[in-house]
Amino acid sequence: MLDIFLRTLPFFAIIGLGYWAGRSRFFSEEATASLTKFVFYFPLSAMIFRFAANLSFSEIFDPRLILGYLLGTMAVYVLTTLVALLRRLDMQTAAVEAQCAAIGNVGFLGLPMMVLLFGPASVGPMMLILSVDLVVFSSLIVVLINVGRGSGFGGDTLRLVGRGLLQNPMILSICAGLIWSALALPIPTPANAFLALLGDAATPGALFAIGASLASKSAERVQIASWLSFAKLVLHPAAVALCLLLLIPVDPYAAAVAIAASALPVAGNVYMLAQHYGVAPHRASAAILLSTTLSILTLPMVIAWVSVLTLP
């Protein structure tokens, strides 16, 4: 575990550096927003496209992994929703809490970290996990919020969901990369060098942006944030492990990557969605801040456990 902790520490050190830059106002909120937008649309998209374009569809598509991860994540999503409804929260707030418990920072933190810890072969499982999170759960929260507001599951809601999917650069990058791979097209050397150079900015840029954005997050509602952080950092990887190791067994390597990815802290886009819809942004903010801080210790523990359990 000490070795894994030391290997993950540089990631959290860059997040800490970004947090200092944001907290000290060396990086303003406007600068942080611009950096996040740059990383999201350019380096991260280049990195994802390059990864996907160099993999065959058979290396990525694993229906058992999709089903197992989806089942485990949905179990935590439903549990968190039920707990929220038992506390007499409205559907919109329950949806935000469920999103906090189920959606980790796969794009900005997970992809580069898992490649370092598990090797390049982890890209395939991570692409599937990212696709499930973006297509299923990012759509689900939009549907639940609109249904909770009385808009119903009609054409307007479906258009919102469709527009969100079509405008997400990570989804477009994955699809474009897989199409390129399916057509067996070589990436020209200058284009490959361009994508590699731009993609290399994704990891440090994303980690710095995570830290800088945390500086503006609120630590209010600690009790709720503690429950949501526990659900995300402990219950989510436990549920995914149960599904992928016992209920729907998959290749041990893919299971290890998926379980480790499930232990990632709450994704920053949950706060963006909560803020956009005006639904519980403070509790999402607190959950992101607390879960990211706690994951410095919990994530290496989960990775060490799952490595011993599933890898030779």
Side-chain angles (χ1 to χ4, degrees), residues 37-223:
K37 188 174 183 179
F38 164 72
V39 172
F40 187 56
Y41 280 93
F42 297 103
L44 193 60
S45 297
M47 181 178 74
I48 290 174
F49 172 81
R50 186 164 173 264
F51 280 158
N54 286 291
L55 291 172
S56 65
F57 186 75
S58 60
E59 289 179 282
I60 296 179
F61 187 68
D62 183 345
R64 293 179 67 84
L65 179 63
I66 294 173
L67 183 59
Y69 175 77
L70 180 60
L71 184 62
T73 304
M74 188 60 76
V76 176
Y77 201 99
V78 171
L79 173 64
T80 315
T81 301
L82 290 175
V83 170
L85 294 177
L86 287 172
R87 288 165 33 226
R88 300 185 183 282
L89 299 179
D90 56 51
M91 178 58 74
Q92 301 97 293
T93 305
V96 170
E97 289 198 357
Q99 201 80 358
C100 287
I103 304 304
N105 206 330
V106 176
F108 274 39
L109 179 60
L111 268 173
M113 182 180 283
M114 298 309 155
V115 169
L116 173 71
L117 295 175
F118 291 98
S122 65
V123 171
M126 290 300 290
M127 290 285 184
L128 284 184
I129 291 166
L130 185 59
S131 299
V132 171
D133 284 352
L134 292 173
V135 174
V136 177
F137 293 100
S138 291
S139 301
L140 183 57
I141 187 174
V142 175
V143 171
L144 291 176
I145 287 176
N146 279 279
V147 170
R149 287 179 170 174
S151 301
F153 189 60
D156 289 342
T157 300
L158 290 175
R159 276 191 290 274
L160 275 174
V161 170
R163 191 181 307 123
L165 294 175
L166 291 174
Q167 291 177 347
N168 192 306
M170 287 195 284
I171 293 177
L172 296 178
S173 299
I174 292 172
C175 292
L178 289 176
I179 291 171
W180 194 280
S181 172
L183 295 174
L185 297 173
I187 300 178
T189 301
N192 194 56
F194 165 77
L195 291 170
L197 186 62
L198 184 58
D200 284 345
T203 300
L207 296 175
F208 192 93
I210 290 171
S213 66
L214 287 176
S216 63
K217 296 291 183 288
S218 166
E220 300 171 17
R221 303 180 181 273
V222 175
Q223 187 176 6

